[in-house]
Amino acid sequence: MQERVKEMIQQNELFRSLPKEAIEEILTSSTVADYPKHHFVIHEREQENHLLFLLEGMAKSIILTDEGEEITIRFYHPGELAGLINTLAEDASRFSVQTLENSRFLIIKKSLFNRLVHDYASFAEQLTHDISKRLQHMYRTLATESSVRHHGFETYPYRKKVGELMETDIVSLPPHASAVGVASAMLREQVSSVLIIEDDALRGIVTERDLIALLPKHEIIASLSVDSIMSRNVITIPESAYFYEAMLAMMKHQVKHLPVLSHGKVTGIVTLKKLTDFRSHSVLGIVKDIDSAHTVEELAKQHKKVIAFIDGMMNDGAAAHEICSIITEFNDRMLRRIIALSERAMIAEGKGAPPTDYCWITMGSEGRKEQTLSTDQDNGIIYPDIENEVHHAEVDDYFATLAEKIVAGLEACGFPRCKGDVMATNSKWRKSLSDWKRMINAWFSHMQGEEIRMFTIFLDFRPVYGQTALAHELRHYFLTRKKDFPFIYNLLAEDDASCSVPLGMFGRIIYDKKIKDGIDIKGGALVHFVNAMRILSIFEGIEAVPTLERLEQLTERRVFTREEDDEIKDSFNTLLHFRIREHMKQAKQKQPLSNELHVANLPKEEQLQIKKALYTAKWLQQKLIRQFQVQGIRI
């Protein structure tokens, strides 16, 4: 491993000028770190940024403009340095570096890097050249982003597959073609992108945006080849994927062209023009409006657009988990924007920037990515350990004020405060990493009644903003400690069994006494799917949080058969669909959102669907009772 790392460092242009002893010092004093996909290795505002040398995977650098828009500056591949400008800066970082896939980095200490610059003149000279190129690239990218024109859209049903939507008459050229040839092909064929293909393999893509970036170099365009201007990190999608998956890919990666693959070969391309909602607002248009909102009031208006968008998906028969995926993406972006605005407000009020790193976590259904239209808030803050008690109190006071701004912002955007006060405004859910660990130990030592419910909400936590390493460490700590407390599974299974599935002995749906003609679709039905997947996943040491992701991994471990997997997934989606549908009705009628499902008023066919799903819920509950030996419960 070390020899391979050494070889990669020596091949990097910046380090070539260093003598062998300097390379050896880098190897012995640096550490290797692994990060998961979509992890922020460097986040804006961080003060201490070491140098990142990418060994495996892919990453990108992002800058947040003054208008609040996220712009990707460049992509990093193995053998390249990430965060170079951040490392040299004396003030807080202005860039973020995020992984695009599971990645491995060599972390080179900032102090060592600065000493190398001081001790070796040739190294410092090459560094100056590298910084110049990177800054030039950054300014060109920002100029390009600001000049890109908007595209129109056409409507397509959400249940269609990408293979039905894609353009099969693709325009392609080999890597040795000229830049002028690409521009001519675009004009001639009236397309906005050209795929670069060699030996039937996709090598890259050139879009209108790439050509616009060449305008400052107009005098050398004639001499450029496609290979030097194409984007190599092409986001692709299989032709079997659904419309919503293409839409989600464009939202996440901020791209407007997706080459479509089948068995590794390009079969077509789907563009942003094919993806639209039912009111002529583009997905990326809403995303852009969320990311560029200057006030919470502006964000609240976007929430209404999201509801209209989801209504279109419902009308077209999109599956419940598809809708939840889109809602989660929108809501996460809205939350991150509210946090950014809240941090700015703290600075404007003279309270300053956050005094230390922190991680904002969401819990409950939000953490599982199973939010419907207006799920109550469940959130918390994790910050690093602070030994000085006075400073600790000051830090917590800061985050208490910040949390109130964020929670109030979420409330203004349609996310009600948690009635159980499971929010970062409550000191119980706003702690240092060590205090969170102590709370986990306290739960293990004494857990009953309401504490069990709080514990289950916590177990579904997910990092959304900030230093996600804090959340990952907390998750790892829990999975390590739970091995010493085997009784936890019995307690959690017992808690689930204390709430019976509303299904009688002969298959009759038992109506809730408070509802009279229906059931609580969340507390009486969906909760049993969530509980079962959570408990079994903890038992198996699975880190996934979303219910269907947990199910998939449990099936891979043969906890469930493929047939059982299909049955559980179908029943879960059925109940989730009815919950979202009811919320849509309530929202349109401007009624308070609730989980009441008036089954007696539904058509017979839908009543049978619900009954079938409840049978699956009852089977899952019985499985927990048997496996974890819950006593005194009749199954």
Side-chain angles (χ1 to χ4, degrees):
M1 173 67 178
Q2 193 169 29
E3 282 302 312
R4 179 173 154 273
V5 174
K6 181 178 180 181
E7 182 180 345
M8 291 178 72
I9 290 176
Q10 290 173 329
Q11 289 176 352
N12 184 277
E13 189 175 12
L14 178 60
F15 293 109
R16 282 178 193 162
S17 60
L18 289 174
K20 291 182 180 179
E21 59 265 26
I23 299 293
E24 289 297 333
E25 186 176 5
I26 291 173
L27 289 171
T28 55
S29 62
S30 301
T31 57
V32 174
D34 292 316
Y35 297 100
K37 186 178 181 180
H38 300 323
H39 178 82
F40 279 92
V41 188
I42 295 177
H43 207 292
E44 262 191 301
R45 301 177 298 93
E46 288 184 346
Q47 295 286 343
E48 186 68 21
N49 293 316
H50 300 304
L51 195 64
L52 306 172
F53 186 82
L54 186 57
L55 300 174
E56 297 175 11
M58 187 185 300
K60 65 178 180 179
S61 61
I62 306 165
I63 188 170
L64 189 67
T65 67
D66 291 337
E67 293 73 36
E69 186 176 2
E70 268 188 12
I71 295 178
T72 297
I73 298 300
R74 62 173 295 172
F75 295 88
Y76 301 105
H77 303 275
E80 295 183 342
L81 287 165
L84 186 58
I85 297 175
N86 287 345
T87 303
L88 293 174
E90 291 301 322
D91 55 353
S93 167
R94 295 298 305 276
F95 303 88
S96 296
V97 174
Q98 183 186 27
T99 59
L100 289 173
E101 54 189 52
N102 293 340
S103 301
R104 175 170 292 178
F105 290 86
L106 182 72
I107 312 297
I108 303 173
K109 292 180 180 178
K110 183 174 182 175
S111 57
L112 171 60
F113 186 77
N114 288 341
R115 182 157 54 79
L116 293 174
V117 173
H118 181 269
D119 292 347
Y120 300 99
S122 58
F123 182 74
E125 184 180 343
Q126 182 61 44
L127 175 64
T128 304
H129 180 62
D130 277 11
I131 292 294
S132 176
K133 286 196 298 184
R134 290 181 185 228
L135 288 173
Q136 192 174 32
H137 174 77
M138 181 188 72
Y139 293 138
R140 188 168 63 244
T141 301
L142 292 173
T144 301
E145 288 288 341
S146 64
S147 64
V148 174
R149 62 183 177 84
H150 298 290
H151 295 281
F153 304 90
E154 298 168 24
T155 300
Y156 271 82
Y158 289 91
R159 295 303 298 161
K160 280 186 176 290
K161 289 191 174 183
V162 168
E164 300 175 77
L165 303 173
M166 67 184 185
E167 299 286 352
T168 54
D169 295 329
I170 59 173
V171 179
S172 66
L173 288 171
H176 56 75
S178 68
V180 174
V182 172
S184 298
M186 283 189 186
L187 287 171
R188 184 176 64 253
E189 303 296 334
Q190 291 293 291
V191 293
S192 56
S193 66
V194 172
L195 300 184
I196 310 307
I197 298 175
E198 184 179 40
D199 298 329
D200 288 334
L202 180 64
R203 303 298 183 192
I205 186 172
V206 178
T207 67
E208 290 174 332
R209 184 178 301 184
D210 298 316
L211 294 181
I212 293 172
L214 292 176
L215 292 179
K217 298 180 177 180
H218 60 87
E219 69 279 356
I220 62 167
I221 290 177
S223 63
L224 295 176
S225 67
V226 166
D227 189 59
S228 65
I229 66 169
M230 69 183 184
S231 299
R232 300 174 188 275
N233 55 306
V234 186
I235 306 299
T236 62
I237 194 163
E239 61 185 20
S240 59
Y242 284 105
F243 176 100
Y244 93 96
E245 292 176 299
M247 185 164 61
L248 200 54
M250 288 187 178
M251 289 171 67
K252 283 179 180 275
H253 301 287
Q254 295 284 273
V255 295
K256 299 180 180 180
H257 307 82
L258 289 175
V260 182
L261 302 184
S262 177
H263 304 294
K265 293 185 178 181
V266 177
T267 56
I269 188 167
V270 62
T271 67
L272 190 57
K273 290 181 180 180
K274 294 291 185 182
L275 306 182
T276 181
D277 68 4
F278 289 87
R279 294 194 180 183
S280 300
H281 293 294
S282 74
V283 177
L284 294 186
I286 299 176
V287 167
K288 183 178 179 181
D289 288 342
I290 289 173
D291 291 349
S292 62
H294 294 288
T295 64
V296 170
E297 290 73 22
E298 289 179 26
L299 281 172
K301 294 177 182 178
Q302 301 311 313
H303 186 63
K304 294 177 181 177
K305 290 183 183 179
V306 171
I307 291 176
F309 192 92
I310 299 308
D311 187 33
M313 293 187 73
M314 284 292 294
N315 291 337
D316 202 57
H321 72 274
E322 299 169 357
I323 293 172
C324 285
S325 295
I326 300 299
I327 291 175
T328 297
E329 183 65 25
F330 279 132
N331 288 353
D332 281 0
R333 284 184 174 274
M334 196 168 290
L335 168 59
R336 285 193 286 267
R337 190 61 188 148
I338 288 171
I339 293 175
L341 291 172
S342 299
E343 287 184 355
R344 290 185 185 181
M346 293 288 282
I347 294 171
E349 293 169 9
K351 298 179 177 67
T356 183
D357 286 334
Y358 72 100
C359 180
W360 184 275
I361 59 173
T362 61
M363 298 175 281
S365 59
E366 188 179 0
R368 294 191 306 274
K369 300 183 180 182
E370 290 159 15
Q371 281 183 292
T372 52
L373 289 185
S374 191
T375 310
D376 287 359
Q377 296 184 46
D378 289 313
N379 48 54
I381 287 177
I382 310 171
Y383 53 83
D385 297 336
I386 300 167
E387 294 183 6
N388 184 288
E389 289 187 14
V390 174
H391 184 43
H392 187 168
E394 292 172 350
V395 168
D396 194 68
D397 284 345
Y398 179 94
F399 285 126
T401 305
L402 178 64
E404 176 56 39
K405 289 184 182 296
I406 296 169
V407 167
L410 288 168
E411 185 179 24
C413 289
F415 303 95
R417 293 181 184 239
C418 175
K419 294 176 182 177
D421 204 20
V422 182
M423 297 179 294
T425 48
N426 181 347
S427 60
K428 182 176 181 178
W429 304 101
R430 184 188 67 250
K431 298 175 182 291
S432 69
L433 183 59
S434 289
D435 284 341
W436 275 101
K437 291 177 179 178
R438 278 189 278 272
M439 188 160 80
I440 289 175
N441 290 331
W443 267 323
F444 280 141
S445 302
H446 179 76
M447 193 189 306
Q448 60 183 9
E450 190 61 23
E451 284 298 306
I452 295 179
R453 304 294 164 84
M454 295 298 102
F455 184 56
T456 58
I457 292 172
F458 161 77
L459 289 175
D460 293 338
F461 76 86
R462 173 174 64 90
V464 177
Y465 181 93
Q467 186 56 263
T468 56
L470 293 165
H472 294 312
E473 184 176 340
L474 187 61
R475 174 76 63 188
H476 178 73
Y477 180 81
F478 165 73
L479 290 174
T480 302
R481 290 288 289 144
K482 61 100 179 177
K483 297 173 184 175
D484 299 325
F485 298 91
F487 62 85
I488 185 178
Y489 310 112
N490 178 274
L491 286 174
L492 292 174
E494 191 176 79
D495 179 65
D496 180 78
S498 67
C499 176
S500 60
V501 177
L503 203 59
M505 187 177 296
F506 301 105
R508 182 175 61 86
I509 296 177
I510 300 174
Y511 296 152
D512 190 299
K513 291 180 181 178
K514 296 178 181 178
I515 303 173
K516 296 182 180 179
D517 62 349
I519 62 172
D520 179 340
I521 195 166
K522 179 184 177 183
L526 280 166
V527 68
H528 300 295
F529 291 84
V530 171
N531 286 344
M533 298 311 124
R534 181 194 298 118
I535 296 168
L536 293 169
S537 292
I538 294 171
F539 184 74
E540 293 289 333
I542 292 170
E543 293 192 28
V545 175
T547 299
L548 293 184
E549 285 184 25
R550 284 170 167 166
L551 172 61
E552 183 180 351
Q553 293 189 34
L554 287 167
T555 302
E556 288 174 359
R557 298 192 185 196
R558 299 186 178 179
V559 175
F560 296 108
T561 66
R562 281 294 166 193
E563 290 75 15
E564 289 169 342
D565 178 291
D566 290 340
E567 174 60 30
I568 295 167
K569 193 179 298 177
D570 181 66
S571 295
F572 181 73
N573 264 319
T574 295
L575 294 170
L576 202 55
H577 170 82
F578 278 109
R579 187 184 184 210
I580 295 172
R581 192 179 75 176
E582 288 304 303
H583 278 188
M584 285 302 309
K585 287 181 183 177
Q586 292 161 359
K588 288 179 181 178
Q589 296 170 6
K590 296 183 179 179
Q591 297 175 349
L593 301 188
S594 75
N595 291 301
E596 295 183 4
L597 180 64
H598 300 276
V599 180
N601 300 330
L602 298 177
K604 282 281 180 65
E605 183 181 341
E606 292 187 351
Q607 290 184 27
L608 288 174
Q609 284 180 296
I610 293 169
K611 187 178 292 186
K612 174 177 172 288
L614 291 177
Y615 267 114
T616 306
K618 191 164 190 174
W619 170 72
L620 285 172
Q621 189 177 68
Q622 291 170 347
K623 178 179 176 65
L624 294 180
I625 291 171
R626 284 192 295 266
Q627 181 167 339
F628 300 111
Q629 302 176 356
V630 177
Q631 302 298 318
I633 300 293
R634 184 178 176 182
I635 62 174

